[in-house]
Each structure stands twice: as C-alpha cells, then as structure tokens.
C-alpha cells in the first residue's frame, strides 16, 4: 500500500507563491507516477500537473491554465513531490490533492482521476484578490 500526505497550503495574495509538498510512505519504491489535482465546490476534480518516471527517464505534464506558473519536482531521497506555484491567481483557489500510481507511462502522464490509485486528503489553497 501507498499513503500520500499533502502539506503547504494556505492563504496568499494574488501574484504570490506557495509550495505544496506530497510525502509518500509505504511501498514508495513502487511509485512511478504522481500527480496534483484540484477541486472547488460544485466542480469536478481537475488535473493540474503530473510526473511519471522510470530509471533515468521522466515526463511531466501541465494543465494549460498553470503552464509557465507551476512546477512539479521530486526528491527521491525524501519520497516527496513538490508543487511550486508562482504568480497565483484567485482562480487557483481550490483544495489541492496529491495522487500516486504504481505504473510508469512512457512519453505521457495520465490526467484522469481514474488512473490514480492512491490519494491524499487534500490541502486548501486560497488566493485573495
């Protein structure tokens, strides 16, 4: 089994930055894909960014709405994935969820919730105008 726990959410003004962390535990050696999704009340949970890796190869994918502003990275030694969010906008306000998958996807990153098996509880990000 795999567990993931998010942290780093909070309140920030528009134009500011936040860094979210997602710490994995359990069968961390089996994790090959991790992603960030976000959800606001009454809306579907949407893909934000993801990364898939195997050996020396890795691929990332970003939602159009965050490309150029958000960056995903990982620290293997800490079994942690980070989401650096810059130039935040009020429309980025949401609960952010981290998700993990034990499968590696060659050349692509899955952007559908159904492809991810392990989910965190979410962390709130609020961007004030």
């Amino acid at each position: 089994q795999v567990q993931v726990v998010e942290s780093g959410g909070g309140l920030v003004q528009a134009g500011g930055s936040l860094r979210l962390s997602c710490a994995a535990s359990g069968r961390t050696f089996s994790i090959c894909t991790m992603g960030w999704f976000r959800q606001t009340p009454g809306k579907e949970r949407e893909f934000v960014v993801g990364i898939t890796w195997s050996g020396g190869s890795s691929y990332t994918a970003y939602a159009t709405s965050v490309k150029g502003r958000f960056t995903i990275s990982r620290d293997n030694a800490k079994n942690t994935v980070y989401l650096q969010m810059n130039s935040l906008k009020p429309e980025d306000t949401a609960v952010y969820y981290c998700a993990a998958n034990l499968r590696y996807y060659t050349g692509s990153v899955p952007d559908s919730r159904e492809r991810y098996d392990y989910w965190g509880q979410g962390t709130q990000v609020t961007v004030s105008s």
Side-chain angles (χ1 to χ4, degrees), residues 69-120:
R69 300 188 297 121
F70 290 12
T71 303
I72 190 170
S73 62
R74 63 188 178 100
D75 185 331
N76 289 342
K78 296 183 179 180
N79 296 314
T80 300
V81 167
Y82 302 98
L83 178 59
Q84 179 66 44
M85 304 186 295
N86 299 328
S87 302
L88 282 161
K89 305 174 181 179
E91 50 265 42
D92 294 318
T93 296
V95 177
Y96 283 71
Y97 296 90
C98 178
N101 181 327
L102 305 185
R103 182 178 173 183
Y104 168 67
Y105 296 85
T106 303
S108 66
V109 179
D111 60 3
S112 62
R113 294 172 295 166
E114 293 72 23
R115 295 290 190 94
Y116 292 83
D117 301 312
Y118 305 98
W119 290 83

Side-chain angles (χ1 to χ4, degrees), residues 6-125:
E6 308 94 338
S7 61
L11 173 64
V12 64
Q13 287 189 332
S17 299
L18 277 176
R19 188 178 78 158
L20 305 183
S21 300
C22 176
S25 61
R27 294 177 57 191
T28 57
F29 57 89
S30 297
I31 298 173
C32 293
T33 299
M34 294 188 77
W36 287 95
F37 289 72
R38 65 187 182 187
Q39 189 170 21
T40 54
K43 291 191 175 181
E44 295 286 323
R45 191 171 297 186
E46 65 174 5
F47 175 80
V48 178
V49 60
I51 182 169
T52 187
W53 67 89
S54 176
S57 299
S58 66
Y59 299 92
T60 57
Y62 294 84
T64 302
S65 59
V66 306
K67 200 171 293 185
R69 300 188 297 121
F70 290 12
T71 303
I72 190 170
S73 62
R74 63 188 178 100
D75 185 331
N76 289 342
K78 296 183 179 180
N79 296 314
T80 300
V81 167
Y82 302 98
L83 178 59
Q84 179 66 44
M85 304 186 295
N86 299 328
S87 302
L88 282 161
K89 305 174 181 179
E91 50 265 42
D92 294 318
T93 296
V95 177
Y96 283 71
Y97 296 90
C98 178
N101 181 327
L102 305 185
R103 182 178 173 183
Y104 168 67
Y105 296 85
T106 303
S108 66
V109 179
D111 60 3
S112 62
R113 294 172 295 166
E114 293 72 23
R115 295 290 190 94
Y116 292 83
D117 301 312
Y118 305 98
W119 290 83
Q121 294 300 307
T123 185
Q124 176 71 46
V125 172

